[in-house]
Structure formats: C-alpha cells, structure tokens
Amino acid sequence: MKGRMTMKQTGVLVTVLICSCLAQAQDVFTTRHGQVSFFGKTALENIEAVNNEVSGAVNTTNGEIGFAILVKGFHFERTLMEEHFNENYMESDNIPKALFKGRINNITAVEINKDGTYAVIAEGDLTIHGVTKKRTIPGKLVVKGGQLEMLSVFNVTPSDYNIRIPSLVADKIATSMQVSVDCKYEKK
C-alpha cells in the first residue's frame, strides 16, 4: 500500500531514532532481537505472547535507555488470539509500536567493566496503544564478558492505555498483564 511502511522499515526507523537519541555517548549498547513477553491469567484461560523483534539501546555513561516494539511482532499460541489482539485490542495497523524512553537512575552503580548482576531502576515514558504514561520500572542489568543483558518484570493494566475489552469477553482477559523483558545488548 502506498504511504505505509513495512514492519521491517518501521523497525529500522525506530532503531535509528533510538540510536540517534543516544548517539553522543561513548558507551552505547544496542539490540535488535530483544525479547518482551506478557502473561495474563484468568479463571477461563491464560493470555500469553512473545515478541523477539525488540529494538533498543542503553547508554552506560548517562543511563539513557530506549525500547521500540512492533506490536504485530507479538506471537500467540493460537492464531485467533493473535488476530483479536492486533485487530480488536491493540489496533496494530493504526498504532504499530510501543515505546519506552527514559533513564536508568542508578547507572553509576553498574561497573560496566566488571562481570556481575546489578539492580537498576528505570524511569521514563511508556507508550502503549498511543497513550504515554510515566513509569518507574525495576530491573537487573547483567554484565558478562563485555556484553549486557537487561532483565525486568513489571505489570501493565490495559485500561490505563485505553485498551478496551468488550464486556462479552471481559472474563477471558486479565485486568493486569505481567510484562517480562530480556534483552541482550552488544556494544555499538
């Protein structure tokens, strides 16, 4: 279709935007294949999806961090769930990505040249379904052999991001989703 970007083009554009925000840094680590998953449990069924196409960057000098997620990159066990997720809830054709842009507040506690696991706190803007909210998200930054891995688990409430759940299926959709992040970075 004329005037619309493909998922690959959108991913490249988002990666360029994130990296340009962090470009002045000496110690920038990036990923294009990070993983974000979510899980919601109800009495009727569990909702679970995984996205292995997450782009992101972290600046270990000043703590700037950014993620970009193509919503259509989330894959479900059942195709029908994936269709409903993209068409009815996330409106992925109109709102194709989710973003986080912020700063790791305690980046100075991370010894980037020393292997270890460091507790970190990121504060910033989380944008889902076109709605941006300030969030404080705990995580771990693992340093091993000159590479970084970011791990985090936090909750997202769909109603906070204007994701409407029809009353007909409300008992099948959890009111809160547990989001897990696992991104391995390489130095830029």
Side-chain angles (χ1 to χ4, degrees):
M1 293 181 161
K2 189 175 181 180
R4 292 182 62 190
M5 290 193 295
T6 65
M7 284 179 63
K8 184 175 182 179
Q9 289 169 323
T10 302
V12 170
L13 175 63
V14 170
T15 301
V16 168
L17 290 173
I18 289 172
C19 291
S20 69
C21 291
L22 305 173
Q24 296 179 1
Q26 296 175 15
D27 294 317
V28 175
F29 291 75
T30 63
T31 184
R32 293 194 61 208
H33 304 288
Q35 182 183 82
V36 171
S37 60
F38 64 84
F39 176 81
K41 183 178 177 97
T42 68
L44 295 176
E45 68 182 320
N46 296 336
I47 306 293
E48 193 169 7
V50 177
N51 186 326
N52 291 306
E53 303 171 24
V54 177
S55 297
V58 62
N59 176 328
T60 58
T61 302
N62 65 13
E64 287 182 337
I65 187 168
F67 290 100
I69 303 168
L70 291 174
V71 176
K72 283 189 176 181
F74 281 102
H75 298 293
F76 295 72
E77 188 174 307
R78 294 185 8 223
T79 305
L80 187 59
M81 271 189 183
E82 195 166 319
E83 272 181 40
H84 287 175
F85 173 78
N86 284 300
E87 294 172 12
N88 301 332
Y89 306 118
M90 295 301 290
E91 303 172 273
S92 302
D93 285 337
N94 296 326
I95 310 168
K97 60 189 174 247
L99 304 166
F100 179 79
K101 185 176 180 194
R103 183 176 307 276
I104 297 172
N105 290 343
N106 57 333
I107 195 68
T108 56
V110 177
E111 294 184 50
I112 206 65
N113 295 318
K114 181 180 177 187
D115 287 0
T117 300
Y118 303 89
V120 294
I121 303 284
E123 288 186 1
D125 294 325
L126 178 62
T127 303
I128 300 173
H129 196 238
V131 175
T132 302
K133 299 275 184 179
K134 294 273 184 209
R135 291 294 304 260
T136 299
I137 300 173
K140 293 179 184 173
L141 195 56
V142 180
V143 178
K144 187 172 183 180
Q147 295 187 333
L148 301 180
E149 181 175 15
M150 174 67 71
L151 303 166
S152 181
V153 177
F154 59 96
N155 290 322
V156 169
T157 303
S159 61
D160 288 347
Y161 293 92
N162 293 338
I163 300 168
R164 292 177 185 82
I165 310 299
S167 58
L168 183 64
V169 294
D171 56 346
K172 293 183 179 181
I173 308 290
T175 57
S176 181
M177 298 290 180
Q178 183 181 58
V179 177
S180 298
V181 176
D182 184 350
C183 291
K184 294 173 179 63
Y185 297 89
E186 294 183 2
K187 192 159 185 174
K188 182 178 172 188

